[in-house]
Amino acid sequence: MDKLVITGGARLSGEVAISGAKNAALPILCACLLSSEPLTLSNVPNLNDIGTMLKLLAQMGVKIEREGDRVTLDASGLDNPLAPYELVKTMRASILVLGPLLARCGEARVSLPGGCAIGARPVDQHIKGLLAMGADIGVDHGYVVAKITDAGGKLKGARLFTDMVTVTGTENLMMAACLADGETVIENAAREPEVVDLAQCLVSMGAQISGAGTDLIRVRGVSRLHAASHRIMPDRIETGTFLCAAAATGGEVWLKGTSTGYLDAVVDKLLDAGCEISGEKTASHESIHLVAPKRLKAVSIRTAPYPAFPTDMQAQFMAINAVAEGTAIIRETIFENRFMHAVELQRLGADIKIDGNTAVMAGVEKLQGATVMATDLRASASLVIAGLVAEGDTHIERIYHLDRGYDHIEAKLTALGAAIRREKA
């Protein structure tokens, strides 16, 4: 099992290219299941979760060609609407095959998924919506088993209201609705940019979708979807993570292929912390430039669904607040078990007090290198940031979490001047 060893103290400086968004690529890969014609994607990140999803699609009968960041998927031979436990146990996004399989094949058998242990993320909203569209769904030995019993073999358009804002739920139902009879209206829909990116891909395939990016999405079902090409949006969480790493080290970086427009809430907080941030956008190029002060000011945050502050950036801000001037309060409102990284940051010398879903932090002058353990994907990123500013060596174990969501993070940080290497634990 690999680990990262970081020698802290280097000021990050230079430029780095941001990869395509994992959280956009995963549902868009699943969209290939809706058509018998090829879907070609570019800017696909090289991540463990992407590899797992491609294996999952391949065992269903999807032909896959991959070269660099370009992937072509041909689901004309789709013949096995099954998502087995062995392939989905590490990746919650696997539930995203449920809607497309049901819409295209009339049936699906999908193992209840795994992923990061950051709290309950139930799939009941997915099931509730598909039931309203006419599916017959049950749970059998850990598998969601779904069938369309209607004689026509198609889902029916319906008015759906999710009890909570759910990104994967919105994506699953939107994909299922593309081939349903009639119009489907999804109320209380997630507004994340990744939902918009999926909708844009589906529209390029011939779907009729309006309202993506708002809390009410309308989908008019069509008889078939056709071949298309689509470029995956830049990863806004990777973008935010590198901004935080540069900010914590007092650095200056240019992030290529990404935009501040995806990260308004994060950028606002970094500005409050004392950073200077500017964006550049032309017809063929976009980038972000950050200049950090010698020491950051502590900033309080409260996570909430988009466009508010993202829960996937909470851990990274806990890391920068650990060495910022002043006291900050962090409130996590999305997941009930997403402060596990706090204990590991305390091992590095951070002053953090946890009370339920609230963390109170008093910034310290210095962190000290130690051996820490990654507990989930974004917790891993927070430990990397902390290691970059800690005195001495920080050893981060269980970095398989990190590899699920960051494309060659140590190589990119090395290019910015960090002293970081991968070793076998």
Side-chain angles (χ1 to χ4, degrees), residues 129 132-135 150 152-160 180-184:
M133 297 173 72
D150 182 80
K154 296 191 73 173
L155 294 169
K156 305 298 182 184
R159 195 168 193 95
L160 312 176
D181 275 338
E183 183 180 71
T184 299

Side-chain angles (χ1 to χ4, degrees), residues 297-308:
K297 300 173 186 174
V299 289
S300 295
I301 62 171
R302 179 183 184 274
T303 66
Y306 188 86

Side-chain angles (χ1 to χ4, degrees), residues 22 25-26 29 44-45 47-55 66:
K22 173 181 86 87
L26 290 172
L29 288 170
V44 179
L47 303 170
N48 285 355
D49 274 9
I50 298 296
T52 300
M53 182 63 79
L54 291 176
K55 289 179 184 177
R66 187 175 188 182

Side-chain angles (χ1 to χ4, degrees), residues 14 64 164 188 253 305 423:
I64 299 168
M164 56 188 288
N188 200 29
V253 296
E423 292 183 355

Side-chain angles (χ1 to χ4, degrees), residues 397-411:
E397 299 181 344
R398 294 192 181 180
I399 59 166
Y400 57 84
H401 291 292
L402 196 70
D403 293 335
R404 289 182 49 232
Y406 291 94
D407 188 351
H408 295 100
I409 189 170
E410 68 266 32

Side-chain angles (χ1 to χ4, degrees), residues 43-118:
N43 203 32
V44 179
N46 183 20
L47 303 170
N48 285 355
D49 274 9
I50 298 296
T52 300
M53 182 63 79
L54 291 176
K55 289 179 184 177
L56 178 60
L57 295 172
Q59 69 87 38
M60 294 177 184
V62 178
K63 294 180 181 178
I64 299 168
E65 295 180 6
R66 187 175 188 182
E67 183 177 353
D69 70 351
R70 188 178 180 88
V71 178
T72 299
L73 306 111
D74 180 354
S76 58
L78 179 64
D79 60 1
N80 184 30
L82 167 70
Y85 174 75
E86 291 73 21
L87 283 174
V88 307
K89 62 185 178 181
T90 63
M91 185 181 64
R92 178 163 186 81
S94 56
I95 194 65
L96 287 163
V97 302
L98 177 61
L101 284 176
L102 190 58
R104 170 99 180 277
C105 303
E107 62 178 329
R109 184 178 176 88
V110 180
S111 174
L112 289 168
C116 290
I118 58 176

